[in-house]
């Protein structure tokens, strides 16, 4: 992956299209919104990009459940950074909550996401 000067990422993302991701909005205004299955486009320990059938406003807090070969992580907090039309849906850029707020940081979450990143760095789908 190339790193462009306009890119805000701290670290390159790795393709992870075989990850199964379930996305739910979090908070008072999310009541009545059902979880939606999204396609993971790429990820690293700080965030991911997903292809979603419906738009999500920037700034919305989300909860992710991630499943894949040797991977089963639930309740991962994230925030939508950007949403733009892409292919047959919307490309949503996400940043994991533990990177945004030092109070949300846990070593176990950091280790889990680092493990997933390492797996896709070496063995991509």
């Amino acid at each position: 992956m190339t790193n462009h000067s306009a890119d805000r990422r701290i670290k390159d993302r790795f393709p992870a299209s075989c990850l199964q991701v379930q996305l739910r909005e979090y908070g008072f205004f999310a009541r009545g919104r059902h979880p939606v299955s999204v396609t993971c486009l790429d990820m690293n320990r700080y965030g991911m990009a997903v292809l979603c059938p419906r738009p999500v406003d920037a700034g919305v807090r989300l909860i992710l459940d991630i499943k894949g070969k040797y991977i089963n992580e639930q309740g991962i907090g994230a925030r939508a950074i950007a949403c733009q039309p892409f292919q047959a849906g919307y490309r949503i850029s996400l940043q994991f909550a533990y990177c945004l707020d030092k109070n949300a940081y846990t070593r176990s979450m950091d280790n889990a996401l680092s493990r997933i990143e390492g797996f896709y760095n070496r063995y991509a789908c």
Side-chain angles (χ1 to χ4, degrees), residues 33-48:
R33 288 257 170 129
H34 297 288
V36 62
S37 292
V38 297
T39 301
C40 180
L41 300 172
D42 56 36
M43 67 104 39
N44 66 25
R45 72 177 58 159
Y46 303 110
M48 71 173 24

Side-chain angles (χ1 to χ4, degrees), residues 62-110:
L62 305 164
I63 302 294
L64 307 175
D65 297 331
I66 301 175
K67 292 184 181 180
K69 191 173 185 179
Y70 311 116
I71 297 165
N72 186 8
E73 293 296 329
Q74 298 181 348
I76 299 170
R79 184 164 301 227
I81 301 299
C83 179
Q84 56 195 26
F86 183 76
Q87 295 177 352
Y90 297 88
R91 183 186 191 281
I92 303 171
S93 299
L94 306 173
Q95 188 172 14
F96 297 125
Y98 85 100
C99 300
L100 294 166
D101 180 9
K102 67 180 179 179
N103 294 327
Y105 178 85
T106 65
R107 182 177 290 269
S108 62
M109 185 60 61
D110 189 14

Side-chain angles (χ1 to χ4, degrees), residues 14-16 18-19 68 71 116-125:
F14 303 99
C18 53
L19 274 179
I71 297 165
I116 295 169
E117 176 191 52
F119 184 77
Y120 284 95
N121 179 13
R122 286 186 292 274
Y123 306 112
C125 300

